[in-house]
Amino acid sequence: MTVSKIAPKISILLCTYNHSSSLRTALQSVINQTFPDWECLVIDDGSTDETKQVLQSFQDSRITACHLEKNRGKSWALEQARNIARANIWIELDDDDWLAPEAVAKVFQYFSHLPEDVALLTSSYTLWSFDKARGMVYRRAMAAYPIFILPTRASVPIPRCYRRSAVEQARGWSEWLAYAEGRFFEDAFLTTVLLQQYQIARCNDVLYHRVLHRKSNSQQAKNLYSSLFSAYFSQYPNRQIQPFVPEDWKFYTNTRT
């Protein structure tokens, strides 16, 4: 598989573990992007299902798969993606979610006009759930919602699109590996770190489709949240993020001629 020497405009970071049934949908949503200048870095975190076969079925040179022998958790997998990502803008995609067709195009367009102190762009998204009898069920649209990281609970931005330089300055997810091996709540951690020096912007476009699972890692480990972040905030007491809603970035309204 030949990799272009020219860095793409967008890197899509997709970490997966034993979700071969939904991985195909996530990857197909990447293939279906209207903006073609992307790379998708799939970190297979030690899957034992048919993940390899699913990945082999996608013959696209823009997709790079990295298979880890042992399951190490989401933060470790993201660190592997961070080490090989080539673009200056990153989109994090979960293996059971999918992107809207114009997501990559709009993320690139927005970041091209956002000020440098914006490290993370989020958007509106749709929330789905899976029902064995009915399949995928639409639940509701998620637009303006508060973002906060507190010792007892958190509401993180979804989706998360990063400016690479800011994530590198924060040393990515490496610091969180000291807390339960970084297996849970890595999204809350990086949001916390980035907001110490940077801002979050939110666009109104629906760029992401999220599937809510009652048995997801975060849902099953929610009882660990307080102990992990209490330990973290005891070391960094000034990093708590009080509830706020990031101001809309009205790119089309303000700058299009």
Side-chain angles (χ1 to χ4, degrees):
M1 185 176 294
T2 304
V3 178
S4 172
K5 294 181 180 180
I6 301 174
K9 295 293 193 298
I10 299 280
S11 292
I12 300 168
L13 315 185
L14 199 169
C15 301
T16 186
Y17 177 63
N18 285 348
H19 274 173
S20 59
S21 58
S22 59
L23 177 61
R24 188 179 300 277
T25 299
L27 283 173
Q28 191 60 53
S29 78
V30 176
I31 295 290
N32 292 343
Q33 291 301 301
T34 60
F35 185 85
D37 196 359
W38 51 262
E39 66 175 359
C40 183
L41 309 174
V42 184
I43 309 299
D44 174 13
D45 191 17
S47 295
T48 57
D49 61 358
E50 297 180 349
T51 292
K52 286 186 178 181
Q53 290 89 326
V54 171
L55 290 171
Q56 289 169 356
S57 71
F58 285 86
Q59 298 298 313
D60 191 308
S61 62
R62 296 170 296 178
I63 298 176
T64 299
C66 177
H67 300 281
L68 306 182
E69 293 184 4
K70 178 182 178 182
N71 176 258
R72 300 287 297 272
K74 185 71 174 291
S75 293
W76 180 268
L78 283 167
E79 279 294 289
Q80 309 317 301
R82 172 192 164 205
N83 290 335
I84 59 176
R86 298 183 296 147
N88 291 324
I89 302 167
W90 300 347
I91 299 175
E92 186 181 344
L93 173 61
D94 283 352
D95 59 2
D96 49 1
D97 299 339
W98 68 94
L99 298 173
E102 296 184 351
V104 170
K106 290 188 174 183
V107 168
F108 178 72
Q109 195 170 27
Y110 284 136
F111 264 111
S112 297
H113 293 82
L114 284 169
E116 290 293 323
D117 66 345
V118 172
L120 195 159
L121 171 69
T122 190
S123 74
S124 299
Y125 68 94
T126 57
L127 188 64
W128 302 74
S129 62
F130 182 78
D131 181 86
K132 289 185 178 180
R134 296 181 293 168
M136 204 65 70
V137 178
Y138 172 81
R139 297 185 63 174
R140 60 184 178 275
M142 301 293 291
Y145 56 91
I147 293 171
F148 56 87
I149 317 292
L150 301 173
T152 56
R153 59 196 178 100
S155 174
V156 299
I158 299 171
R160 293 175 297 281
C161 311
Y162 301 109
R163 192 184 300 278
R164 174 181 184 165
S165 58
V167 177
E168 295 291 6
Q169 185 175 1
R171 295 188 299 175
W173 296 265
S174 59
E175 188 179 281
W176 191 240
L177 292 172
Y179 299 86
E181 300 180 331
R183 289 184 175 273
F184 315 107
F185 316 117
E186 75 294 328
D187 45 7
F189 162 74
L190 189 58
T191 301
T192 301
V193 174
L194 291 176
L195 279 175
Q196 306 312 305
Q197 300 184 51
Y198 298 97
Q199 296 188 63
I200 291 177
R202 180 178 61 83
C203 66
N204 289 323
D205 307 86
V206 175
L207 303 183
Y208 198 85
H209 298 274
R210 180 195 180 198
V211 181
L212 187 63
H213 293 282
R214 292 181 179 178
K215 294 184 178 181
S216 68
N217 279 347
S218 295
Q219 290 296 319
Q220 294 186 72
K222 61 183 179 181
N223 292 334
L224 291 175
Y225 178 89
S226 292
S227 60
L228 290 175
F229 272 88
S230 292
Y232 177 72
F233 287 132
S234 67
Q235 188 171 2
Y236 304 101
N238 296 324
R239 289 189 175 180
Q240 294 182 35
I241 307 300
Q242 300 299 320
F244 79 101
V245 176
E247 183 179 353
D248 291 349
W249 172 250
K250 300 184 185 300
F251 165 74
Y252 290 108
T253 300
N254 292 343
T255 64
R256 187 173 63 177
T257 57

